[in-house]
Amino acid sequence: MSLSVVLAGGGTTGHIAPLLALADCLRRRDPDTRITALGTAEGLEARLVPAAGYHLEVMPRVPMPRKPSAEALRLPARLKAAVDSAAAALEDADVLVGFGGYVSSPAYIAAYLKKVPFVVHEANARPGLANKLGARFTPYVGVTFPGTPLRGGQVMGLPLRTQITGLDRSAQRETARVALGLKPNQTTLFVTGGSLGAQQLNDTFGASAQLLTDAGIQVLHTSGRDKQVPFAGEQPPGYVVAPYLDRMDLAYAAADVVVCRSGAGNVSEVTALGLPAAYVPLPIGNGEQRLNAEPVVRAGGGLLIDNEACTPDWVRTTLLPLLSDSGRLSAMGDAAARFGIRDADERLASMVEVAASRGGRR
């Protein structure tokens, strides 16, 4: 019999992207698999999940107050409402898969109470509260990075889009460069701060643009929506700026080196494709981005540079020599590829099927 799977995760693309990659994988394995996603009306999942062709069950959002307040007093009632909503969605489910965030905690509680087997997947090297809770009550725990302190965690990588995992960079390199307005046979640096951009990267590489292009390096730079790259003078030929790219696969195919933040998705995509990278962790938050990048850097697949140290002087003294050293780039790319995992969606899907089979159809 085909499985009925409930997927819980939302709020950010860090939760939604692997959720959708797993859903696609389960459907490839069995087109009759029933997929239901749990999310909130306020999160990105309200748009992204239906757009991907999956059914979304909306449940109440339950933020966890960090200090005594009127919001804290309302927490028990809100949590009960969310657990009840998740329980209703789990009525005919064979298995739940949670990816963390506001939605997952009540889903884990509901699954535990209803005796529905569940799987926990953690994207980041530093797990969130929801997944710490869930991992205490299930043997089925997948993590993206080695060393993630989550009970019972099995390293399986981050489920990625087939647009990325199926990419043959060498075969598409020249075509991708031409499509992006670059020369087909020139060393290419890809700088990206993600869809929101990174002002430090914009400022540093805007000031370094002439240095790079004078050295024969062409640059593709995504600045982020509503953000600009402030050039020291005129924008030099060979330096292409786009606010955002829908086709990240083309950017990866075009690139010889990447400079990027080190969210779980960035690190997983870049290493899966065997790209050498300089990771510039986001300087705010709980420090998870630095932890995400440290294992691949230790493995020789990249560099780690603090946000405030990512300056034009660093570009001149460290990055430019790297771009000119083909042997070092090749070794870093090989190390990144050995670290990266392309089939995380298949690995997680297998864990889901095992959890469902051992739980039994109720």
Side-chain angles (χ1 to χ4, degrees), residues 327-343:
R328 189 178 175 204
L329 287 180
S330 179
M332 287 179 68
D334 289 344
R338 287 192 297 271
F339 179 89
I341 299 174
R342 286 200 180 207
D343 64 342

Side-chain angles (χ1 to χ4, degrees), residues 85-108:
S85 178
L90 289 166
E91 189 60 39
D92 296 314
D94 294 299
V95 62
L96 165 75
V97 187
F99 293 87
Y102 293 130
V103 175
S104 292
S105 293
Y108 294 146

Side-chain angles (χ1 to χ4, degrees), residues 25-325:
C25 182
L26 290 168
R27 280 278 175 83
R28 286 196 305 273
R29 289 185 170 202
D30 178 1
D32 293 326
T33 300
R34 285 170 287 162
I35 303 287
T36 301
L38 295 179
T40 67
E42 301 85 1
L44 290 174
E45 63 272 16
R47 176 174 59 86
L48 297 179
V49 168
Y54 297 106
H55 175 64
L56 178 72
E57 283 287 341
V58 175
M59 57 186 291
R61 182 175 180 269
V62 189
M64 303 300 287
R66 298 186 180 277
K67 57 184 179 180
S69 65
E71 289 295 313
L73 294 175
R74 287 191 283 269
L75 177 62
R78 287 181 170 177
L79 182 58
K80 182 181 185 303
V83 170
D84 289 346
S85 178
L90 289 166
E91 189 60 39
D92 296 314
D94 294 299
V95 62
L96 165 75
V97 187
F99 293 87
Y102 293 130
V103 175
S104 292
S105 293
Y108 294 146
I109 295 170
Y112 179 79
L113 294 175
K114 292 179 69 66
K115 295 182 170 54
V116 174
F118 63 92
V119 175
V120 172
H121 184 275
E122 175 57 54
N124 289 296
R126 176 171 283 163
L129 292 176
N131 282 348
K132 285 181 180 179
L133 170 68
R136 294 177 63 85
F137 300 100
T138 180
Y140 308 109
V141 180
V143 299
T144 299
F145 300 110
T148 301
L150 203 59
R151 180 177 177 176
Q154 301 177 40
V155 177
M156 57 180 53
L158 185 73
L160 301 172
R161 298 166 293 164
T162 55
Q163 183 187 55
I164 300 299
T165 58
L167 178 64
D168 184 338
R169 289 178 50 236
S170 60
Q172 298 186 41
R173 181 174 294 117
E174 292 186 8
T175 301
R177 287 176 179 173
V178 171
L180 293 166
L182 301 164
K183 293 181 179 179
N185 297 305
Q186 191 168 334
T187 300
T188 303
L189 172 67
F190 177 37
V191 179
T192 178
S195 60
L196 298 178
Q199 197 58 52
Q200 183 74 20
L201 299 186
N202 291 351
D203 292 344
T204 291
F205 284 90
S208 307
Q210 196 66 56
L211 171 70
L212 289 164
T213 55
D214 284 350
I217 307 299
Q218 60 183 350
V219 182
L220 174 66
H221 186 149
T222 59
S223 60
R225 295 188 175 99
D226 302 321
K227 287 188 172 69
Q228 305 294 322
V229 176
F231 293 102
E234 293 293 323
Q235 180 174 342
Y239 200 109
V240 175
V241 178
Y244 178 78
L245 289 174
D246 288 323
R247 294 288 306 276
M248 283 291 286
D249 57 314
L250 292 181
Y252 289 140
D256 293 296
V257 180
V258 179
V259 177
C260 61
R261 292 298 194 197
S262 49
N266 289 120
V267 177
S268 298
E269 289 183 347
V270 168
T271 56
L273 295 173
L275 270 164
Y279 297 104
V280 187
L282 190 69
I284 59 175
N286 63 5
E288 66 188 23
Q289 287 208 357
R290 169 173 283 276
L291 296 176
N292 291 345
E294 284 177 345
V296 66
V297 171
R298 285 196 299 267
L303 305 177
L304 188 60
I305 176 74
D306 289 336
N307 189 71
E308 62 273 15
C310 183
T311 64
D313 186 60
W314 173 80
V315 173
R316 179 179 58 81
T317 60
T318 302
L319 184 61
L320 193 55
L322 173 63
L323 288 162
S324 305
D325 189 337

